[in-house]
Amino acid sequence: ETGVTQTPRHLVMGMTNKKSLKCEQHLGHNAMYWYKQSAKKPLELMFVYNFKEQTENNSVPSRFSPECPNSSHLFLHLHTLQPEDSALYLCASSPSQNVDQPQHFGDGTRLSIL
Amino acid sequence: AQSVAQPEDQVNVAEGNPLTVKCTYSVSGNPYLFWYVQYPNRGLQFLLKYITGDNLVKGSYGFEAEFNKSQTSFHLKKPSALVSDSALYFCAVRDSKGGSYIPTFGRGTSLIVHP
């Protein structure tokens, strides 16, 4: 049990579909992150939220749309994705954005684009 | 600017032997260093961190890491490897200067422990 729960664990979608990934944490953390993990590539930071406010958008295409309604929940809305978007999407949280605090990761959503 | 390098894509070790997974870093100020482990079909799990103080840091599952400022390294070690230690290991760094609170992760090192 990591304390960070991601749903669904697996998702297969066509390029014209719209779907959402969900992340939930009950650790009392105030910072939440979305990462993309592709085979043979470094971990890519996508978005960061701190106290529900977006503080980082790492040049992510607009077909990915994040939403953070409160400090415990984070969503990633997907539409018109491309085959190269197939990857493991990881959510993480940390108590704050202080540099000495580790991140807690969920187990990810394995996304496959047909 | 901060950066981190894991020079080995894969490390092979026999069960019972000591293991080392290498990490070097570059920062402008002081480094805050982290090791994470990722088992198959799981997310990253925090193992240990170095912020300040003793250069030898002890963490979960019997792992430890040694901070070496002169060599800008933070190698992960374990005295006796287990087959269950086989996983992907990530080193991460945050810089005390530069204003970035976002960690930079290494590319990961696959540790394979042979029975």
Side-chain angles (χ1 to χ4, degrees), chain B residues 5-53:
Chain B
Q6 294 181 243
E8 302 153 316
D9 287 339
Q10 184 171 302
V11 169
N12 291 279
V13 65
E15 188 174 30
N17 283 1
L19 70 87
T20 299
V21 183
K22 296 180 180 178
C23 172
T24 59
Y25 66 88
S26 175
V27 294
S28 302
N30 294 317
Y32 299 100
L33 294 154
F34 305 82
W35 274 104
Y36 292 84
V37 60
Q38 185 178 30
Y39 297 102
N41 301 313
R42 300 296 301 276
L44 279 68
Q45 294 178 39
F46 169 68
L47 275 180
L48 50 80
K49 68 178 181 181
Y50 172 82
I51 303 301
T52 188

Side-chain angles (χ1 to χ4, degrees), chain A residues 1-2 9-10 33 35 37 40-43 45 48 55-56 88 90 94 96-108 110, chain B residues 32-34 36 38 40-46 48-51 88 90 92 94-96 99-108:
Chain A
E1 178 57 52
T2 67
R9 291 295 312 277
H10 301 273
Y33 312 75
Y35 285 91
Q37 187 178 30
K40 309 295 183 184
K41 287 186 176 182
L43 205 60
L45 177 70
V48 182
T55 56
E56 287 278 334
L88 181 67
L90 293 167
S94 61
S96 69
Q97 290 180 331
N98 287 346
V99 293
D100 63 343
Q101 294 171 342
Q103 294 169 298
H104 296 248
F105 285 80
D107 286 334
R110 176 72 60 186
Chain B
Y32 299 100
L33 294 154
F34 305 82
Y36 292 84
Q38 185 178 30
N41 301 313
R42 300 296 301 276
L44 279 68
Q45 294 178 39
F46 169 68
L48 50 80
K49 68 178 181 181
Y50 172 82
I51 303 301
L88 194 57
F90 291 93
R94 279 169 158 163
D95 195 344
S96 67
S100 175
Y101 49 80
I102 306 298
T104 297
F105 284 84
R107 297 179 70 93

Side-chain angles (χ1 to χ4, degrees), chain A residues 4-49:
Chain A
V4 179
T5 303
Q6 290 187 243
T7 54
R9 291 295 312 277
H10 301 273
L11 179 61
V12 179
M13 56 188 286
M15 289 190 286
T16 58
N17 291 157
K18 289 185 180 181
K19 295 285 185 183
S20 296
L21 310 185
K22 180 182 177 182
C23 175
E24 185 173 358
Q25 59 91 7
H26 295 290
L27 300 170
H29 292 175
N30 295 306
M32 296 188 79
Y33 312 75
W34 277 118
Y35 285 91
K36 177 183 179 182
Q37 187 178 30
S38 305
K40 309 295 183 184
K41 287 186 176 182
L43 205 60
E44 297 175 52
L45 177 70
M46 299 176 73
F47 302 102
V48 182
Y49 279 81

Side-chain angles (χ1 to χ4, degrees), chain B residues 29-90:
Chain B
N30 294 317
Y32 299 100
L33 294 154
F34 305 82
W35 274 104
Y36 292 84
V37 60
Q38 185 178 30
Y39 297 102
N41 301 313
R42 300 296 301 276
L44 279 68
Q45 294 178 39
F46 169 68
L47 275 180
L48 50 80
K49 68 178 181 181
Y50 172 82
I51 303 301
T52 188
D54 196 346
N55 289 344
L56 186 64
V57 179
K58 294 190 183 296
S60 307
Y61 311 121
F63 283 94
E64 58 189 26
E66 186 169 11
F67 172 66
N68 188 317
K69 187 173 183 178
S70 62
Q71 296 185 5
T72 61
S73 67
F74 189 56
H75 301 331
L76 182 69
K77 301 182 179 184
K78 188 174 183 181
S80 178
L82 300 173
V83 172
S84 57
D85 292 330
S86 299
L88 194 57
Y89 290 81
F90 291 93

